[in-house]
Amino acid sequence: MSLQQAPQSRVFVELVPWADRGRENNVVSGGESLPGLRRPLASAQTQTATREVHVSGTADVSASPDRAQVAVLVSSTKEAAAEAKKSVCRRLDYITQSLRQQGLQAENVTVTKDFRRVENAYHMEAEVCITFTEFEKMQNICNFLIEKLDSSVVISQPQFYHTPGSVENLRRKACLVAVENAWRKAQEVCNLVGQTLGKPLLIKEEETKEWEGQIDDLQSSRLSSSLTVQQKIKSATIHAASKVFITFEVKGKEKKRKNL
């Protein structure tokens, strides 16, 4: 009758067996040896092999946008060129002065002007692009300008984005957190089996992912004009995921010496 084959199993922690260098056979009383019961021969591979634990770790981190840009458009059409320029410049000066009073730096404000002739009149446009790092201040300034200026001044919806440095920091953070999670897992495994976790022998980042906003919210993201400020921030939030594989050395528990 044939024996059933034992199901295969995965070894999580592999301990290299100790080899008896002095004798190959088990010796019983009387000097007789038992054939077939042999200890594994000592070899260079057995002597140098280390006990290892292999673990994987994952992490998912996110970062909200750290910049927002708003465009303020001022325009005027007059029969006389001087009148068109005067109308635009007067409101433009008021806008830039208000921004300075609110504490915005000059490097965060860009002004462009366009002057052209339209049929029998002159048309002038000025666009003020403002970059904000404080979103609450952005909302207060936009509300103030809407209240003080007439309908000829158009204020765009804020566009939220990330600086290149913040995205790179997010990628590094995802990898580091994944490594930390893998280390904690290996530490708990070694504690469970009565061993001591040693140094890492191999660290490999196997997979990375990045995405913006909520994956299940694509339909609402298309209607960006109908989103609130908080919804826009959530939609512009970047997520980064990392998966790492680490091999650690496993050491035996150190025995405490008793003082005689």
Side-chain angles (χ1 to χ4, degrees):
M1 183 176 62
S2 61
L3 298 178
Q4 294 183 354
Q5 186 177 0
Q8 296 182 353
S9 62
R10 297 181 62 185
V11 179
F12 189 73
V13 179
E14 180 180 0
L15 301 180
V16 179
W18 177 81
D20 186 357
R21 302 180 184 179
R23 310 177 69 180
E24 295 183 359
N25 302 329
N26 286 339
V27 180
V28 296
S29 59
E32 298 179 358
S33 62
L34 296 178
L37 294 179
R38 297 178 178 271
R39 295 185 183 273
L41 296 177
S43 62
Q45 182 179 1
T46 303
Q47 295 176 15
T48 59
T50 59
R51 297 182 297 175
E52 300 173 353
V53 56
H54 305 263
V55 295
S56 62
T58 59
D60 184 352
V61 296
S62 62
S64 300
D66 55 352
R67 294 290 187 278
Q69 190 174 74
V70 174
V72 181
L73 185 63
V74 182
S75 62
S76 179
T77 302
K78 302 287 185 180
E79 294 183 357
E83 290 295 325
K85 292 181 179 180
K86 181 180 178 181
S87 176
V88 171
C89 291
R90 175 175 52 83
R91 287 171 291 174
L92 186 61
D93 291 341
Y94 180 81
I95 293 172
T96 54
Q97 181 181 359
S98 299
L99 296 177
R100 286 195 299 268
Q101 291 176 349
Q102 293 292 333
L104 285 177
Q105 302 297 323
E107 58 267 20
N108 293 328
V109 180
T110 304
V111 180
T112 56
K113 299 178 182 179
D114 178 53
F115 183 75
R116 61 183 182 271
R117 188 161 186 168
V118 180
E119 296 180 353
N120 296 326
Y122 294 91
H123 181 80
M124 183 174 180
E125 286 183 356
E127 185 181 47
V128 184
C129 290
I130 314 166
T131 301
F132 293 93
T133 57
E134 300 178 36
F135 299 156
E136 184 177 356
K137 178 181 289 188
M138 173 197 70
Q139 290 182 279
N140 293 336
I141 291 178
C142 290
N143 293 339
F144 175 80
L145 294 177
I146 291 174
E147 179 183 355
K148 297 299 181 180
L149 299 174
D150 55 34
S151 58
S152 62
V153 177
V154 179
I155 301 178
S156 71
Q157 292 293 322
Q159 301 295 323
F160 297 95
Y161 64 96
H162 295 260
T163 55
S166 65
V167 177
E168 185 60 32
N169 289 337
L170 185 66
R171 296 190 186 109
R172 286 197 296 266
K173 181 180 179 181
C175 181
L176 293 177
V177 175
V179 170
E180 182 180 2
N181 291 339
W183 176 82
R184 291 183 184 277
K185 183 190 296 185
Q187 186 74 50
E188 292 177 0
V189 169
C190 288
N191 291 339
L192 182 64
V193 297
Q195 301 295 307
T196 301
L197 185 66
K199 63 184 178 181
L201 304 176
L202 173 67
I203 301 177
K204 180 181 179 182
E205 188 174 33
E206 294 186 323
E207 184 179 352
T208 59
K209 291 182 181 179
E210 291 181 24
W211 66 94
E212 188 174 280
Q214 298 296 326
I215 298 178
D216 56 350
D217 200 23
L218 295 177
Q219 184 175 0
S220 62
S221 63
R222 296 172 184 173
L223 306 175
S224 59
S225 59
S226 61
L227 298 179
T228 64
V229 172
Q230 292 301 322
Q231 288 174 332
K232 287 178 180 289
I233 294 175
K234 186 177 180 180
S235 178
T237 297
I238 291 181
H239 300 259
S242 176
K243 180 180 179 181
V244 299
F245 174 83
I246 306 181
T247 299
F248 288 97
E249 180 184 8
V250 176
K251 299 180 179 180
K253 280 287 186 180
E254 297 181 357
K255 296 182 179 180
K256 297 181 179 180
R257 296 180 180 180
K258 295 182 179 180
N259 296 327
L260 297 179

